[in-house]
């Protein structure tokens, strides 16, 4: 696991803040298995994802760390790591008043760091928006300027990242549809293509059914869809696959 990313995640975790600073926080782990992955040592992958998210007095945070294991013929590469940490500083929370217009309910300073193996380390900065849309539990839209860190990373440009969640009650349980899009466009390097990554999950709250009400919103099972046009900025490398997942919230 990347030590720098882990340290940064700890900085925004609830253990690093006074209790009265944190409104809510969550920690989860997800197991995933899928096939037909492109530009990887093996097209079959098993992954474990650690996530933390939360809301605090002056903004919110989200961080994840992927540990991916390559199954089958992998060219001698057994596993890899990749992670991101993002935090937003809310104008509405800092100023103590509503900062928005129309369906936009808040504006934020949005920051993010991408780290992993290979030339992927990047710092992102821009503007975040919270948008109220019917039937969505939340919808956020962040517009970033990408700054590649390292001479081998040529992903400088602009990035638009919406993230969302929808909840569908089913009896005593719930179906969750959530995910994100990373659209990297107006890139600085001609050899790095505009790319579009859509990564939603459809999950069923199994814990509420088999373990009772006390485990509601804890154990989820479902599928993750992964569509990535021009993956890693490589022209014509279009990934289109899905994986089975199980996720537990602590």
């Amino acid at each position: 696991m990347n030590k720098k990313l882990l340290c940064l995640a700890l900085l925004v975790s609830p253990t690093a803040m006074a209790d009265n600073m944190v409104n809510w926080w969550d920690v989860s782990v997800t197991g995933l298995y899928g096939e037909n992955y492109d530009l990887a040592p093996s097209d079959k992958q098993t992954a474990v994802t650690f996530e933390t998210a939360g809301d605090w007095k002056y903004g919110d945070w989200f961080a994840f760390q992927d540990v991916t294991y390559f199954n089958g013929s992998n060219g001698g590469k057994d596993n890899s790591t990749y992670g991101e940490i993002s935090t937003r500083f809310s104008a509405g929370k800092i100023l103590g008043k509503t900062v928005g217009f129309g369906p936009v309910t808040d504006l934020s300073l949005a920051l993010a760091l991408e780290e992993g193996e290979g030339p992927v380390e990047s710092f992102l900065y821009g503007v975040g928006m919270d948008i109220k849309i019917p039937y969505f539990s939340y919808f956020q839209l962040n517009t970033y300027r990408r700054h590649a860190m390292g001479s081998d990373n040529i992903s400088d440009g602009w990035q638009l990242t919406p993230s969302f969640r929808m909840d569908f009650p089913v009896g005593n349980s719930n179906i969750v549809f959530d995910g994100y899009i990373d659209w990297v466009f107006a890139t600085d390097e001609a050899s790095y293509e505009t790319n579009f990554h859509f990564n939603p999950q459809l999950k069923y709250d199994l814990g509420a059914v088999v373990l009772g009400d006390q485990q509601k919103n804890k154990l989820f099972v479902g599928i993750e869809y992964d569509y990535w046009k021009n993956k890693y900025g490589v022209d014509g490398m279009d990934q289109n696959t899905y994986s089975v997942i199980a996720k537990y919230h602590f």
Side-chain angles (χ1 to χ4, degrees):
M1 186 179 295
N2 189 288
K3 293 181 179 179
K4 187 186 295 185
L5 186 68
L6 178 60
C7 291
L8 288 170
L10 289 174
L11 288 176
V12 296
S13 72
T15 58
M17 302 179 186
D19 289 342
N20 61 356
M21 295 285 284
V22 179
N23 299 318
W24 63 266
W25 61 276
D26 177 76
V27 174
S28 66
V29 60
T30 302
L32 174 152
Y33 175 78
E35 301 180 357
N36 300 318
Y37 285 89
D38 296 322
L39 289 181
S42 172
D43 68 334
K44 299 178 181 179
Q45 297 182 7
T46 301
V48 179
T49 299
F50 304 92
E51 293 180 339
T52 177
D55 182 272
W56 68 298
K57 186 175 182 179
Y58 298 117
D60 54 43
W61 77 83
F62 174 73
F64 73 87
Q65 179 73 47
D66 286 338
V67 182
T68 302
Y69 300 91
F70 303 111
N71 311 114
S73 176
N74 56 19
K77 178 71 171 178
D78 294 327
N79 59 74
S80 69
T81 62
Y82 175 78
E84 296 182 11
I85 181 170
S86 60
T87 186
R88 304 191 310 164
F89 294 91
S90 160
K93 291 179 179 179
I94 293 172
L95 298 176
K97 62 180 182 180
T98 301
V99 178
F101 50 90
V104 177
T105 60
D106 197 12
L107 298 174
S108 300
L109 169 65
L111 307 172
L113 177 68
E114 302 175 347
E115 281 209 330
E117 300 178 24
V120 299
E121 186 172 319
S122 299
F123 177 66
L124 289 71
Y125 55 92
V127 176
M129 294 188 294
D130 290 349
I131 305 175
K132 187 175 182 179
I133 301 178
Y135 307 112
F136 283 80
S137 301
Y138 68 80
F139 189 96
Q140 298 173 344
L141 180 63
N142 297 324
T143 303
Y144 294 110
R145 172 64 184 175
R146 295 183 58 86
H147 172 65
M149 302 164 68
S151 58
D152 293 334
N153 187 350
I154 58 171
S155 66
D156 294 276
W158 292 89
Q159 178 172 314
L160 196 66
T161 299
S163 59
F164 62 89
R165 172 169 172 154
M166 303 177 75
D167 289 83
F168 304 94
V170 179
N172 192 42
S173 188
N174 192 36
I175 293 176
V176 175
F177 179 60
D178 61 0
Y180 68 90
I181 295 171
D182 283 340
W183 178 32
V184 181
F185 63 98
T187 55
D188 293 359
E189 298 288 339
S191 59
Y192 189 87
E193 291 291 329
T194 294
N195 57 91
F196 179 89
H197 191 192
F198 180 41
N199 193 207
Q201 296 180 349
L202 185 65
K203 296 167 290 193
Y204 178 66
D205 187 352
L206 185 63
V209 176
V210 301
L211 300 176
D213 288 343
Q214 70 276 13
Q215 290 296 311
K216 197 168 186 178
N217 296 317
K218 293 286 188 180
L219 175 63
F220 290 85
V221 295
I223 58 173
E224 177 182 278
Y225 178 63
D226 194 300
Y227 174 71
W228 198 340
K229 181 176 178 58
N230 296 331
K231 184 177 181 179
Y232 299 143
V234 178
D235 188 22
M237 186 58 66
D238 300 338
Q239 179 172 282
N240 188 5
T241 186
Y242 71 92
S243 304
V244 293
I245 62 173
K247 185 170 188 176
Y248 188 79
H249 293 264
F250 294 93

